[in-house]
Amino acid sequence: MLKRLTRLISCSALLVSGCMPMEGEDALAEAGARQEASGDLACTIPSFPKGTTWIWDLENSSIPTTLNAQVYVVDLFGTSSAKIQEYKNAGKKVVCYFSAGSYENWRSDAAQFPRDTYCSPGEDCNESIHIMGDWCESGGGCEWWLDHRKPAVRTVMEARLQLARDKGCDAVEPDNVDAYAHDDEISCTDQACWGLTAADQLAYNRWLAEAAHARCLGIALKNDVEQVAQLAPSFDFAINEECQRYNECGVYKTAFVDQNKAVFNAEYREDAGGDVTSWTSCTGTQASCACGERGFAQGDMRTLVYKTSNVRYNNVAITCG
């Protein structure tokens, strides 16, 4: 998961998935549900209205079902189907995290990515310009930016979305969907960048949303702040990291909150880069007030402040509920 370092069909499982037989337009309008046709059935995409509470834990494979949160955001690969169903039995909506913009060499489907989707021809992949920042572990996990224009990348992402569907996730959180901005920032004098453009990113992110909805899954827009206004109509809610610290939250007010879509934000007292912010739980607009943001009514944006960049429920210091 990137935290500002230099930084996938059928709706046959009616009871589990929340899909329902096709009804008349009047009934659908009265329910206020957003639906996607799939053969002779229509799927109700789960809603995430503003003010919804959440917990974000990508490190624990099991967390208590009694947490004061309506939405549980968990790792797709690290969370079993049985555990997801347990959360849902407890009344939680479950959002499943995966990276849609990076190659993670420790994932169970890593072999499905052709080498040329994450490493330029002729490069030493261990020294690749596509490596995310410099966080590769010695002898362990590493992460590369993907060229998401390649059809092979979309094939893997379709499989991941189907896995989320099969596991019973209500929605997905595809991460690292702002690779074009990375291409914009780095020097490419010695090795070729992917040459991703803002238009490439918009097309890919919209494709992700369409592919998720086709599987009856909701979808979060993760970060990609500069494209929020253009992408918001395609997404059901937003997840952001450190928009308060970087004074970037405002764009979510019109694009999501005013459309009755949830905005989930995470801040860190000490982030992955070692930068420290003295967050407190006060209500206000000062930089140190975790529970206040200019232009937002109380509860419009739900913020979790983690003690460090370890994203787990038992590392939360402040919850803005």
Side-chain angles (χ1 to χ4, degrees):
M1 178 182 60
L2 179 67
K3 298 194 193 74
R4 292 189 185 267
L5 299 179
T6 53
R7 30 199 180 247
L8 286 215
I9 252 243
S10 164
C11 295
S12 58
L14 301 181
L15 295 178
V16 174
S17 69
C19 301
M20 62 179 67
M22 182 75 78
E23 298 181 9
E25 292 182 1
D26 292 341
L28 293 180
E30 183 178 348
R34 178 180 180 181
Q35 299 189 328
E36 298 285 337
S38 179
D40 294 330
L41 300 173
C43 300
T44 303
I45 308 300
S47 63
F48 296 82
K50 68 178 181 180
T52 302
T53 56
W54 75 311
I55 191 66
W56 196 34
D57 190 319
L58 305 182
E59 299 184 20
N60 288 304
S61 60
S62 176
I63 61 179
T65 60
T66 55
L67 298 177
N68 186 24
Q70 296 164 301
V71 171
Y72 278 31
V73 186
V74 299
D75 187 78
L76 172 61
F77 293 97
T79 312
S80 68
S81 300
K83 186 56 62 174
I84 289 171
Q85 190 59 50
E86 185 178 333
Y87 299 149
K88 294 175 72 169
N89 289 345
K92 314 298 183 181
K93 289 179 181 175
V94 180
V95 179
C96 295
Y97 169 97
F98 65 90
S99 180
S102 68
Y103 168 71
E104 304 160 308
N105 63 357
W106 66 91
R107 295 298 190 182
S108 58
D109 62 354
Q112 302 304 310
F113 289 95
R115 187 178 182 275
D116 68 355
T117 62
Y118 62 90
C119 184
S120 295
E123 271 193 303
D124 177 353
C125 292
N126 294 322
E127 300 293 334
S128 172
I129 199 166
H130 305 300
I131 291 174
M132 285 187 168
D134 54 2
W135 76 265
C136 293
E137 300 173 3
S138 178
C142 194
E143 197 165 353
W144 290 256
W145 289 104
L146 285 167
D147 183 353
H148 54 64
R149 298 167 303 184
K150 290 185 165 65
V153 171
R154 296 193 179 196
T155 298
V156 177
M157 296 309 153
E158 286 182 323
R160 289 184 173 185
L161 287 167
Q162 188 60 39
L163 177 62
R165 166 75 176 170
D166 293 344
K167 279 192 164 187
C169 309
D170 295 298
V172 290
E173 177 203 351
D175 198 9
N176 301 311
V177 292
D178 54 359
Y180 83 99
H182 168 77
D183 254 19
D184 225 22
E185 293 170 355
I186 62 178
S187 171
C188 302
T189 55
D190 298 323
Q191 296 166 314
C193 293
W194 292 134
L196 298 172
T197 66
D200 292 329
Q201 196 70 65
L202 287 172
Y204 182 58
N205 293 359
R206 286 171 176 148
W207 174 82
L208 284 168
E210 291 170 1
H213 290 154
R215 291 162 175 80
C216 314
L217 295 165
I219 184 168
L221 177 60
K222 176 70 173 291
N223 296 327
D224 195 12
V225 174
E226 293 180 358
Q227 296 187 326
V228 164
Q230 294 161 282
L231 289 171
S234 298
F235 288 78
D236 306 296
F237 59 107
I239 298 178
N240 180 274
E241 292 174 279
E242 302 189 279
C243 73
Q244 290 203 66
R245 179 187 170 199
Y246 290 96
N247 298 312
E248 296 173 339
C249 298
V251 67
Y252 292 98
K253 179 65 169 62
T254 300
F256 281 91
V257 173
D258 289 353
Q259 309 306 316
N260 195 31
K261 296 179 180 181
V263 178
F264 301 137
N265 177 47
E267 301 289 339
Y268 309 100
R269 282 184 167 166
E270 181 178 355
D271 69 13
D275 294 327
V276 176
T277 304
S278 299
W279 294 110
T280 64
S281 60
C282 61
T283 299
T285 58
Q286 302 96 319
S288 62
C289 289
C291 299
E293 180 64 25
R294 188 182 303 277
F296 289 82
Q298 185 174 359
D300 274 357
M301 182 175 68
R302 298 296 193 178
T303 296
L304 300 173
V305 178
Y306 291 84
K307 298 170 189 175
T308 64
S309 60
N310 299 105
V311 179
R312 54 177 185 259
Y313 81 95
N314 50 1
N315 193 44
V316 174
I318 298 168
T319 300
C320 297

